[in-house]
Amino acid sequence: MKIITYNVNGLRAAVGKGFAEWLERENPDVVCLQETKLQPDQYPELMFEALGYHSYLHCAEKKGYSGVAILTKRMPDHVEYGMGIDVYDREGRFIRADFGDLSVVSVYHPSGTSGDERQAFKMVWLEAYQDYVIKLRESRPNLALCGDYNICHEPIDIHDPVRNAKNSGFLPEEREWMTRFLSAGFIDTFRLLHPQKQEYTWWSYRFNSRAKNKGWRIDYCMTTESVRPMLKAAAILNEAVHSDHCPMLLEIEHE
């Protein structure tokens, strides 16, 4: 199974930059999207249907904001919209599709860059998210938790760890949460398979950051430990330029 996660930073804008044509060439089985920034009536369903995808959206109540989706060539057994926590579900941050004994999640963690209030919201979310997926793991042990985590874990994951040490996304408390999360039985698949590789998934639109490769690795395909034997490949697809993020690919052995 070929899974791609991609924060498209506005799906309609990404489509205008050739996203659908790129998707047809890449041909993943499952696509996890974040920051779709649209309502269901604005979604170009027929375009993706023509490429063979069933579409499942969890949109934010606020228009032009947040939103996650799963596109899949294989019909899921079940789709779960949200985490059953109203304050988060109103922002469209979590959707899950079950395929036999495997569950694929598209998740969009909050950003704290707009100020203290949202940073506090993010820190509370991180604990709630961890509690939720640990509980979910009891009934759905094989999880692929794909999406924008808005956190760089280690200095290798960010172009300038020293000057970003006080910036949201690389704060000590965020990095400590990520360490605890991984220690609770989850795998950063890219880092597992590429221990020394310094690649990024997001670049600021400012300062010509992408051309200079001054980036952050904040998009992940995390899995539960039970998925480890199924892992085949993990890669960052940084040639895709439909967003300020680029996609990440995960390949797993799964029927």
Side-chain angles (χ1 to χ4, degrees):
M1 181 183 275
K2 184 176 176 181
I3 302 167
I4 281 178
T5 187
Y6 200 171
N7 179 324
V8 287
N9 193 7
L11 181 58
R12 288 169 294 172
V15 165
K17 296 173 185 173
F19 171 72
E21 294 80 1
W22 173 85
L23 188 64
E24 185 175 21
R25 290 193 303 273
E26 203 61 49
N27 195 32
D29 301 296
V30 181
V31 189
C32 299
L33 300 178
Q34 302 86 42
E35 273 202 282
T36 52
K37 292 185 175 179
L38 46 66
Q39 296 299 303
D41 63 343
Q42 299 172 308
Y43 179 71
E45 185 169 7
L46 293 178
M47 175 189 294
F48 294 112
E49 202 174 85
L51 299 179
Y53 289 101
H54 308 282
S55 301
Y56 303 92
L57 312 181
H58 184 39
C59 302
E61 287 181 1
K62 181 179 172 182
K63 291 185 176 178
Y65 178 73
S66 188
V68 291
I70 291 178
L71 281 56
T72 173
K73 294 205 164 184
R74 175 177 161 187
M75 186 74 77
D77 306 320
H78 173 74
V79 176
E80 191 73 24
Y81 298 87
M83 301 193 294
I85 306 171
D86 194 48
V87 66
Y88 304 132
D89 294 347
R90 286 201 302 264
E91 294 195 359
R93 294 193 173 276
F94 189 100
I95 186 170
R96 181 187 103 227
D98 298 340
F99 305 93
D101 65 351
L102 176 74
S103 293
V104 179
V105 165
S106 180
V107 61
Y108 176 41
H109 288 253
S111 167
T113 54
S114 62
D116 292 347
E117 188 178 331
R118 289 301 289 183
Q119 183 63 38
F121 181 88
K122 178 180 184 178
M123 297 311 298
V124 175
W125 151 280
L126 291 173
E127 300 303 329
Y129 171 79
Q130 181 166 334
D131 290 347
Y132 180 85
V133 295
I134 285 174
K135 186 84 171 82
L136 177 61
R137 186 173 59 184
E138 293 173 11
S139 57
R140 304 291 308 171
N142 298 330
L143 297 173
L145 306 165
C146 304
D148 178 0
Y149 279 64
N150 263 312
I151 298 171
C152 293
H153 186 210
E154 300 289 0
I156 193 175
D157 300 314
I158 190 166
H159 73 94
D160 191 344
V162 175
R163 275 188 279 190
N164 282 298
K166 293 184 179 178
N167 289 337
S168 179
F170 198 58
L171 295 172
E173 57 267 35
E174 295 170 325
R175 298 173 59 200
E176 187 270 333
W177 174 82
M178 183 76 84
T179 298
R180 279 194 293 113
F181 181 72
L182 294 168
S183 299
F186 298 94
I187 297 169
D188 172 355
T189 57
F190 179 81
R191 188 53 70 216
L192 175 75
L193 297 175
H194 308 285
Q196 304 302 324
K197 196 173 270 192
Q198 191 156 7
E199 291 188 1
Y200 309 123
T201 64
W202 176 81
W203 302 261
S204 169
Y205 278 135
R206 302 167 67 197
F207 312 122
N208 209 20
S209 298
R210 190 158 187 168
K212 297 173 183 173
N213 200 27
K214 293 188 172 181
W216 303 43
R217 188 173 74 95
I218 57 176
D219 302 88
Y220 298 83
C221 289
M222 301 285 197
T223 67
T224 43
E225 276 289 344
S226 58
V227 177
R228 186 187 288 261
M230 306 179 206
L231 297 177
K232 303 293 286 181
I236 289 171
L237 308 179
N238 48 28
E239 79 293 343
V241 290
H242 317 100
S243 167
D244 52 348
H245 293 250
C246 75
M248 184 187 158
L249 165 73
L250 177 66
E251 287 190 36
I252 58 174
E253 197 69 57
H254 188 266
E255 292 302 321

